[in-house]
Amino acid sequence: MAKADKTATMSRLHSAARLARTALAARLLAHGFYAGQDQIMLALDREDGQTPGTLAGRLGVRPPTITKTINRLQAQGFLEKRASNADARQAHIFLTESGRETIRAIEKSVKKTEKQALKGLDKKDQKALFKLLARIEANLSNEDLVLIDDDAELDEA
């Protein structure tokens, strides 16, 4: 790689991630969601009733950030907090009926953004990109790379 290109790959990766997030944010805004709110909603759709601390850990954000976002989503009527049966000091977060109804809109926005981002890439290229991004994530999180049946995920796209 030429001397001037030493940071080109990270620059491209950062730019692609930023543009993908911007495109998704524009789609989500049409449904009343702001950046980051979609991730909480989708995490609760996968496993309802998580604590704010658990959500923060799974999404890689600080607890105060998750608390502010949860409060906003609660004010919008998408989430509700319930005291734990085991420890009343601990809250669990649940999707409301309105929140459940918006999950499909979030998923559709994600799919449309993914389709836009992957336009012009055949299935083989998409599979290779998926594996490369998984490797980068594993490297940056100091974890071992574990690939599940990524063919099934790509076939759904």
Side-chain angles (χ1 to χ4, degrees):
M1 208 176 262
K3 197 169 194 138
D5 293 335
K6 282 186 177 181
T7 62
T9 302
M10 284 304 293
S11 216
R12 278 284 165 105
L13 183 61
H14 183 264
S15 178
R18 182 180 42 78
L19 288 168
R21 194 71 198 148
T22 300
L24 179 58
R27 285 188 173 95
L28 291 171
L29 192 56
H31 300 289
F33 290 99
Y34 296 97
Q37 291 180 326
D38 58 310
Q39 294 301 305
I40 292 173
M41 298 288 290
L42 292 171
L44 289 170
D45 185 51
R46 285 188 294 277
E47 184 184 334
D48 214 8
Q50 296 180 60
T51 65
T54 302
L55 280 167
R58 287 185 177 164
L59 299 177
V61 297
R62 295 178 47 236
T65 303
I66 211 89
T67 300
K68 285 181 193 174
T69 307
I70 287 169
N71 289 339
R72 287 187 185 124
L73 287 166
Q74 186 177 17
Q76 290 172 275
F78 296 126
L79 303 180
E80 66 180 353
K81 294 179 192 175
R82 297 183 207 153
S84 169
N85 293 334
D87 182 353
R89 297 171 296 175
Q90 184 68 58
H92 291 267
I93 312 304
F94 294 86
L95 291 169
T96 61
E97 193 56 42
S98 176
R100 287 189 197 296
E101 290 170 5
T102 61
I103 292 296
R104 301 309 149 234
I106 292 170
E107 289 174 338
K108 192 173 184 179
S109 295
V110 170
K111 283 286 187 196
K112 282 184 177 183
T113 304
E114 184 175 291
K115 186 175 180 178
Q116 178 185 2
L118 298 177
K119 189 170 131 183
L121 299 178
D122 62 24
K123 293 291 180 193
K124 185 178 176 184
D125 289 339
Q126 290 179 32
K127 184 176 180 179
L129 177 61
F130 181 86
K131 286 182 176 181
L132 291 169
L133 291 172
R135 166 51 60 203
I136 291 169
E137 285 177 349
N139 290 345
L140 293 174
S141 63
N142 295 317
E143 295 176 3
D144 290 331
L145 179 63
V146 178
L147 287 178
I148 52 172
D149 185 9
D150 52 321
D151 289 330
E153 287 188 32
L154 290 175
D155 290 341
E156 291 174 12

